[in-house]
Amino acid sequence: IEHSCWVVFEDIFLCISMRQGLRDLLNVANRRARLETVNEEIETRVAGRTAELTSAHQQLEASEKRFSIAFETAAIGMAWVSPEGRWLKVNRAVCDLTGYTPDELFQKTFQDITHPDDLETDLDYVRKMLAGAIQSYQMEKRYFDSQGRTIWVFLSVSLVRDTHGLPVHFISQIQDVSLRKLAEIGRAS
């Protein structure tokens, strides 16, 4: 009988152990299934977000290309100028107007080609924009072209600031008004 009790006890213990083992296996299987479900959800979200970012990137590239084409082909001069006055980017119209190549302009400042009688007025506007007193300005002024000839222009300038409010560059629109100014000067004489 004693032996039979031990056998029954061992069988009961073995059944309990097997039952606990099966519960553990079932818990592991349930956790694995939940992890797989969560992993699939994450992969779906990542794929969706990747598609959104890819689309946004393509739209940004297309927008930048449209801007670049508009900048380069504008009928009037367009330029980016540093807060110190250095030419950063110029379109073909600026080069045609001044007679300088882009590389030649990049070695100069707007101060270098501005007529001395107009320079202080222009610099005063620049100081006011950098200080935040004005958002933009327009003025008629004179430049010297690459041959030293005087060119009258109508200049419109605005300032691009970064997210912290610091100046990045000026955007200048430069329109040749030499013929009109010469006619005005001729009429006044």
Side-chain angles (χ1 to χ4, degrees), residues 42 51 65 89 189:
I42 290 171
K65 186 173 184 172
K89 182 175 179 158
S189 298

Side-chain angles (χ1 to χ4, degrees), residues 132-169:
I134 59 174
Q135 299 299 311
S136 63
Y137 71 92
Q138 296 178 335
M139 68 178 286
E140 286 187 349
K141 67 180 275 188
R142 291 162 285 182
Y143 283 134
F144 292 117
D145 71 9
S146 62
Q147 304 302 310
R149 294 177 296 231
T150 301
I151 309 161
W152 280 94
V153 299
F154 181 75
L155 176 68
S156 298
V157 181
S158 58
L159 179 60
V160 174
R161 294 182 181 272
D162 67 15
T163 56
H164 303 290
L166 299 174
V168 177
H169 60 79

Side-chain angles (χ1 to χ4, degrees), residues 14 26 86 89 103 172 179:
L14 183 60
L26 185 58
R86 190 148 305 281
K89 182 175 179 158
D103 288 337
S172 298
L179 293 177

Side-chain angles (χ1 to χ4, degrees), residues 17 36 54 63 74 86 94 108 118 151 154 157-158 181 186:
S17 295
E36 287 176 6
T54 299
S63 176
R86 190 148 305 281
V94 171
K108 297 184 175 297
D118 300 327
I151 309 161
F154 181 75
V157 181
S158 58
K181 286 302 283 187

Side-chain angles (χ1 to χ4, degrees), residues 2-152:
E2 193 177 305
H3 176 66
S4 296
C5 285
W6 275 110
V7 170
V8 170
F9 175 75
E10 286 176 348
D11 287 347
I12 291 173
F13 182 74
L14 183 60
C15 286
I16 292 172
S17 295
M18 287 177 61
R19 186 175 176 193
Q20 185 59 44
L22 288 173
R23 277 191 201 139
D24 291 345
L25 284 174
L26 185 58
N27 283 339
V28 167
N30 286 337
R31 285 188 192 132
R32 181 171 283 153
R34 275 185 272 159
L35 282 174
E36 287 176 6
T37 301
V38 168
N39 189 37
E40 287 173 6
E41 289 174 6
I42 290 171
E43 287 177 0
T44 301
R45 287 182 188 166
V46 167
R49 188 67 179 132
T50 300
E52 288 173 14
L53 290 174
T54 299
S55 175
H57 181 62
Q58 289 170 343
Q59 289 173 5
L60 178 61
E61 283 181 341
S63 176
E64 287 174 348
K65 186 173 184 172
R66 285 190 304 272
F67 171 78
S68 181
I69 289 169
F71 183 91
E72 291 301 326
T73 61
I76 64 170
M78 300 280 291
W80 291 358
V81 178
S82 76
E84 299 76 33
R86 190 148 305 281
W87 300 92
L88 302 173
K89 182 175 179 158
V90 295
N91 71 353
R92 184 185 57 228
V94 171
C95 295
D96 292 346
L97 178 67
T98 63
Y100 291 106
T101 66
D103 288 337
E104 289 171 329
L105 282 171
F106 298 153
Q107 301 305 312
K108 297 184 175 297
T109 63
F110 79 84
Q111 297 94 321
D112 293 334
I113 68 169
T114 296
H115 191 285
D117 292 345
D118 300 327
L119 184 57
E120 195 51 44
T121 302
D122 202 353
L123 290 174
D124 187 47
Y125 281 128
V126 166
R127 285 188 286 271
K128 287 178 181 176
M129 283 186 71
L130 290 171
I134 59 174
Q135 299 299 311
S136 63
Y137 71 92
Q138 296 178 335
M139 68 178 286
E140 286 187 349
K141 67 180 275 188
R142 291 162 285 182
Y143 283 134
F144 292 117
D145 71 9
S146 62
Q147 304 302 310
R149 294 177 296 231
T150 301
I151 309 161
W152 280 94

